[in-house]
Amino acid sequence: MRHILNLIAPPLVDKALIVQNLNELLPHYELLAIEEFRKKQKRNADEVETNAWRELWLAALQTEYAIIVTEGDSVHLEMMLERLWRAPGTHIFTLTLEPSSLAPQQVAARIVQNLPEDFKE
């Protein structure tokens, strides 16, 4: 069974600290951030984007628990999620973060609190 926490964090959200806190609360999850996959590419701009999303998709298929972090504004996100849904035994929980006055630790704790039980294991 594959559990994917699809975390959409627009630019105005301090996602680095929230994700760091989430990773501490959910240490069995692998962090898969699209920005990291983009950095690994060494091709022209169009190929970088396409290849980064393909690599992110493949990484998500190879893990049992993953936190996918994106800004939610790429056309590739919907295609990747659709492909992941088709993989047998895949469960995806999507959260969109908004700017908050709460501390990153509090935001992460609320995310974990609101996850379905099978995502917490």
Side-chain angles (χ1 to χ4, degrees):
M1 182 99 41
R2 182 177 302 106
H3 294 82
I4 296 174
L5 174 55
N6 177 35
L7 192 63
I8 297 173
L12 296 177
V13 174
D14 186 8
K15 65 182 165 238
L17 289 174
I18 294 170
V19 169
Q20 179 183 344
N21 285 285
L22 261 179
N23 201 252
E24 291 170 7
L25 295 170
L26 301 168
H28 55 291
Y29 276 77
E30 183 176 345
L31 179 61
L32 304 172
I34 188 59
E35 289 88 5
E36 296 303 315
F37 287 90
R38 286 177 180 141
K39 289 177 187 176
K40 295 178 185 177
Q41 302 300 314
K42 294 180 172 49
R43 297 183 177 94
N44 72 47
D46 289 337
E47 288 179 353
V48 165
E49 191 67 8
T50 300
N51 287 332
W53 282 97
R54 185 178 64 79
E55 294 297 320
L56 175 61
W57 170 64
L58 290 172
L61 286 175
Q62 295 174 6
T63 186
E64 197 171 331
Y65 291 91
I67 299 173
I68 294 178
V69 182
T70 70
E71 291 183 353
D73 60 352
S74 174
V75 296
H76 296 281
L77 175 61
E78 186 176 337
M79 290 187 309
M80 184 199 63
L81 291 174
E82 179 63 33
R83 286 181 173 176
L84 286 171
W85 272 118
R86 286 190 230 150
T90 300
H91 298 274
I92 301 173
F93 188 79
T94 298
L95 286 168
T96 301
L97 298 179
E98 296 185 14
S100 172
S101 59
L102 297 175
Q105 301 92 331
Q106 292 172 306
V107 173
R110 283 193 179 179
I111 290 171
V112 171
Q113 179 182 2
N114 292 313
L115 284 175
E117 286 304 314
D118 62 326
F119 276 76
K120 297 177 187 180
E121 299 171 352

